[in-house]
Amino acid sequence: MSPARRAAAGLARWPRYYRSELRIAFGRPRNLLMLAALAGAPVFFGIVLKVNTPEPGAGGPSGAGEFIGQVAENGVFLSLLAIYALLTVLLPLAVAVVSGDSVAGEAGMGTLRTMLTVPAGRLRLVATKYATIVTFSLAACLIVAGMGLLMGVILFPVGRVTLLSGDTVPLADGLGRLALIVGYVAAGLASLGAIGLALSTFTQHPIAVMAATLVVVIISEILDAISQVGAIHPYLPTHFWFSFDALLRTPIAWPQILHGLASFAAYAVIFAGAALVRIRRADVTC
Amino acid sequence: MTVAARAAAGDAPPADEAAAGEHAISTEGLTKRFRGGQLAVDHIGLAVPRGSVYGFLGPNGSGKTTTIRMLLGLVHPTEGSLRLLGADLRDGLDPVLPKVGALVEGPAYYPFLSGWQNLARLDAADRSADPRTARSRIDHALDQVGLLAAADKRYRAYSLGMKQRLGIAAALLRPRELMVLDEPTNGLDPQGTREIRALIRHIAADGTTVFVSSHLLAEVEQICTHVGVMSQGRLAFQGTLALLRSRGEPRIGIRTAQPAAAAGVLARLGLADIDADGTRVTARLGGQAPEHVNAELVRSGVPVSGLETIRPSLEDLFVELTGEGFDVTG
């Protein structure tokens, strides 16, 4: 087969390979448990806020507080609260775990050598793994937002959405903004997934990758909170993660959103690129 | 063909194609030095004829697995050239790997998937496999190794022997021109070992080249036409099994009540390396015919109660080649 025909066949049959990778990521009992925990968090938040209803505006002026105070008035905010609360550790953890599995996990189990002799193709394998990580990131965000919305609808009144800027928009508009937020947060997590993927190509211990990826998140968040190092803030991988509040203002602060997406894209390109370079050169000895 | 000659051939590779025609695997000066300096494989020149069953022998740690990893493109050689089914490593092996069934260093699969699902996953990753025939090919592969009844059982619940069979089933997912099997009978009971041997014979009978590594001599002796013997990263011997056998010098063994007299006769006949032990005397035959030695003994009045020609066992030859007993480390 000529290289061109092989490339065409590889592309045509890629969806089958991608689906089989998704079945692993979403079929692994441990990952299902993790997704269940992510789904359970909004339920927990909803029940707590229902039992112990805060005064409007009681949560404080910024961060999660902005949302907590509004949940009782509009259930849609439970979804935002859940995303906000889980984005600090739990959502990154889910992505870190899947990144650890991606290459390091396969190497540790020995399945990497089997896949490469099939041959899956080294670059094709890593690209498919990244597509799976991105899909998993999006799914995790959708689950959190979806369960938040569901519980919000069940437990609280739902109606026109009062934005952070004080304006009120129709419910449909509010839900549209929620969908954009889910996409934005998933993009941020996907950029973290690229870092995890790159780390994953250097070891056969998925736990090490998971821990290192989380350390990246935590150090980045700590540095981001220290104003003395403000000069490096825009370059931190997590700096723009919480900028999604720009989508809750009128008019939407698009420059802020685009700046965030550019940062995510830069991280994704650099680290996914590093993973591809590394896998090409690596000796697979396990 | 030397590296220099290949370079000289440039863009016109007819000689290369001819070489590819006769050899499923050929390497020249293939070397792997790992980071850290360990020389795992040291300038080996493998020549595996098409259609052969090639036994790749050597003690554990002699470089067999590293060599196999290089043959399959998992480990990058430090030096040397490699051709697999006519494809040059420098151009990438992925185009020919679908024609190669491989089992490297034991089977490795997802514990929470069934045997069937694990094979389906491998097939899905193969861009040259036809998805429409996947179902029947997987069933057939499992059937060939006797795992069809356990197809839906989780891999976690498989016995060691079943895991090994699944690894071989993966190599059988598609018709192959070459099978590379690393220690295929590892962990199998005698019955399982026999079955795998029969399977390898069956595969070879269809014209598939089989490259099988083992540290078990008996295994190789029973199924192989060719052997390569690795010792400390080097290829200590390569050739047909018959050639290897012929390397051993035959000895004569005499059972007699008068060993001293017998030894005297053997010495007079010019036999070397005479060894008398109780009522048994042995010596290297050299070019002598055993019946001639017998006649001389009888003529000299030595009572011969037994006489035999002893060919060194393959095991002895291997110990000689590798400098250590088989299976000492594993």
Side-chain angles (χ1 to χ4, degrees):
Chain A
M1 225 188 316
S2 73
R5 282 192 53 195
R6 278 184 60 237
L11 213 57
R13 284 173 182 167
W14 182 76
R16 183 178 174 222
Y17 179 26
Y18 171 62
R19 276 198 307 274
S20 115
E21 286 297 318
L22 288 184
R23 266 197 290 275
I24 297 282
F26 289 92
R28 180 183 286 247
R30 183 237 292 141
N31 291 3
L32 287 176
L33 214 61
M34 212 160 56
L35 292 176
L38 286 175
V43 178
F44 175 75
F45 294 149
I47 292 171
V48 166
L49 292 177
K50 182 72 182 176
V51 172
N52 189 4
T53 309
E55 296 294 312
S62 69
E66 284 180 295
F67 303 128
I68 287 180
Q70 300 214 42
V71 171
E73 288 175 17
N74 193 336
V76 174
F77 276 89
L78 184 60
S79 191
L80 292 165
L81 171 66
I83 291 175
Y84 198 100
L86 299 182
L87 190 51
T88 314
V89 176
L90 279 187
L91 279 169
L93 174 69
V95 175
V97 166
V98 176
S99 313
D101 286 340
S102 65
V103 181
E106 298 261 6
M109 256 195 295
T111 45
L112 184 60
R113 62 171 187 258
T114 319
M115 291 300 274
L116 290 181
T117 52
V118 159
R122 289 182 180 229
L123 302 185
R124 188 164 167 263
L125 182 138
V126 166
T128 309
K129 289 292 184 185
Y130 190 53
T132 308
I133 294 172
V134 172
T135 310
F136 197 86
S137 304
L138 180 62
C141 293
L142 280 172
I143 284 173
V144 169
M147 279 306 283
L149 197 58
L150 182 67
M151 290 310 290
V153 169
I154 293 173
L155 297 173
F156 303 103
V158 169
R160 291 178 62 85
V161 178
T162 307
L163 299 175
L164 298 179
S165 52
D167 316 76
T168 302
V169 296
L171 180 61
D173 188 339
L175 292 179
R177 286 166 188 255
L178 179 62
L180 288 177
I181 288 170
V182 166
Y184 179 86
V185 170
L189 289 173
S191 73
L192 177 69
I195 297 175
L197 179 75
L199 292 170
S200 206
T201 56
F202 282 91
T203 169
Q204 48 170 310
H205 304 292
I207 294 283
V209 175
M210 187 211 75
T213 308
L214 268 193
V215 165
V216 167
V217 172
I218 290 166
I219 289 184
S220 171
E221 284 175 354
I222 290 172
L223 289 176
D224 208 16
I226 301 176
S227 54
Q228 282 81 355
V229 292
I232 64 163
H233 283 177
Y235 304 103
L236 292 171
T238 64
H239 180 71
F240 293 97
W241 279 14
F242 292 90
S243 301
F244 64 77
D245 65 339
L247 289 163
L248 292 173
R249 296 178 197 283
T250 300
I252 291 175
W254 286 112
Q256 194 181 337
I257 293 298
L258 293 178
H259 200 159
L261 291 176
S263 158
F264 302 157
Y267 267 100
V269 167
I270 291 168
F271 282 91
L276 291 173
V277 169
R278 165 69 190 164
I279 198 74
R280 260 181 80 95
R281 294 187 184 163
D283 278 337
V284 179
T285 54
C286 44
Chain B
M1 192 180 195
T2 65
V3 177
R6 183 175 300 131
D11 287 338
D16 270 8
E17 270 166 22
E22 48 192 87
H23 286 123
I25 300 170
S26 65
T27 73
E28 263 174 51
L30 195 67
T31 300
K32 181 61 187 183
R33 187 184 287 279
F34 281 110
R35 264 187 299 174
Q38 185 211 348
L39 189 60
V41 176
D42 186 7
H43 293 90
I44 67 170
L46 288 173
V48 178
R50 284 206 188 235
S52 65
V53 179
Y54 188 106
F56 195 46
L57 281 157
N60 291 331
S62 58
K64 296 192 305 286
T65 296
T66 302
T67 302
I68 287 178
R69 285 177 182 276
M70 285 194 280
L71 297 182
L72 297 169
L74 293 173
V75 165
H76 303 296
T78 321
E79 264 182 67
S81 63
L82 158 65
R83 295 185 75 87
L84 184 75
L85 296 177
D88 193 307
L89 175 66
R90 285 167 296 188
D91 305 328
L93 297 179
D94 279 3
V96 292
L97 279 178
K99 297 183 216 163
V100 181
L103 171 67
V104 186
E105 219 181 338
Y109 291 96
Y110 276 100
F112 56 87
L113 294 182
S114 71
W116 204 96
Q117 288 169 325
N118 269 301
L119 293 192
R121 177 175 138 75
L122 292 184
D123 200 64
D126 186 347
R127 73 193 103 182
S128 59
D130 186 350
R132 285 165 301 184
T133 58
R135 207 163 274 278
S136 63
R137 283 185 292 111
I138 294 168
D139 282 343
H140 182 63
L142 287 169
D143 195 24
Q144 275 184 282
V145 297
L147 268 186
L148 200 52
D152 295 326
K153 210 167 160 179
R154 283 189 182 195
Y155 180 71
R156 193 201 311 277
Y158 277 18
S159 69
L160 189 56
M162 290 163 86
K163 289 178 177 173
Q164 194 75 11
R165 286 155 195 255
L166 186 64
I168 295 171
L172 294 169
L173 269 178
R174 308 178 57 185
R176 313 282 192 183
E177 287 178 28
L178 170 67
M179 297 283 270
V180 177
L181 305 172
D182 189 9
E183 306 272 1
T185 60
N186 228 2
L188 293 184
D189 55 19
Q191 173 65 21
T193 306
R194 257 199 306 281
E195 284 171 18
I196 296 304
R197 267 204 302 268
L199 188 62
I200 291 175
R201 280 202 194 93
H202 179 72
I203 294 165
D206 292 344
T208 304
T209 311
V210 181
F211 183 89
V212 53
S213 88
S214 182
H215 63 283
L216 298 175
L217 191 53
E219 191 168 290
V220 165
E221 197 175 353
Q222 290 184 43
I223 53 174
C224 294
T225 57
H226 292 68
V227 278
V229 181
M230 289 290 284
S231 174
Q232 294 172 6
R234 303 193 68 101
L235 193 58
F237 173 86
Q238 175 171 251
T240 61
L241 198 58
L243 180 65
L244 179 62
R245 278 186 212 282
S246 71
R247 273 174 63 111
E249 268 196 275
R251 294 175 70 86
I252 189 163
I254 300 141
R255 205 163 282 283
T256 172
Q258 296 176 18
V265 174
L266 295 182
R268 186 155 49 77
L269 287 170
L271 271 59
D273 198 11
I274 300 166
D275 182 20
D277 179 20
T279 60
R280 190 175 140 91
V281 181
T282 68
R284 224 185 292 160
L285 254 180
Q288 302 269 9
E291 53 271 34
H292 173 65
V293 176
N294 188 30
E296 280 301 317
L297 286 166
V298 172
R299 194 173 310 151
S300 309
V302 178
V304 176
S305 59
L307 185 139
E308 59 180 333
T309 311
I310 310 157
R311 286 213 165 260
S313 67
L314 275 181
E315 177 122 21
D316 294 336
L317 289 170
F318 280 121
V319 172
E320 199 181 299
L321 284 168
T322 62
E324 53 186 308
F326 258 75
D327 218 0
V328 281
T329 47

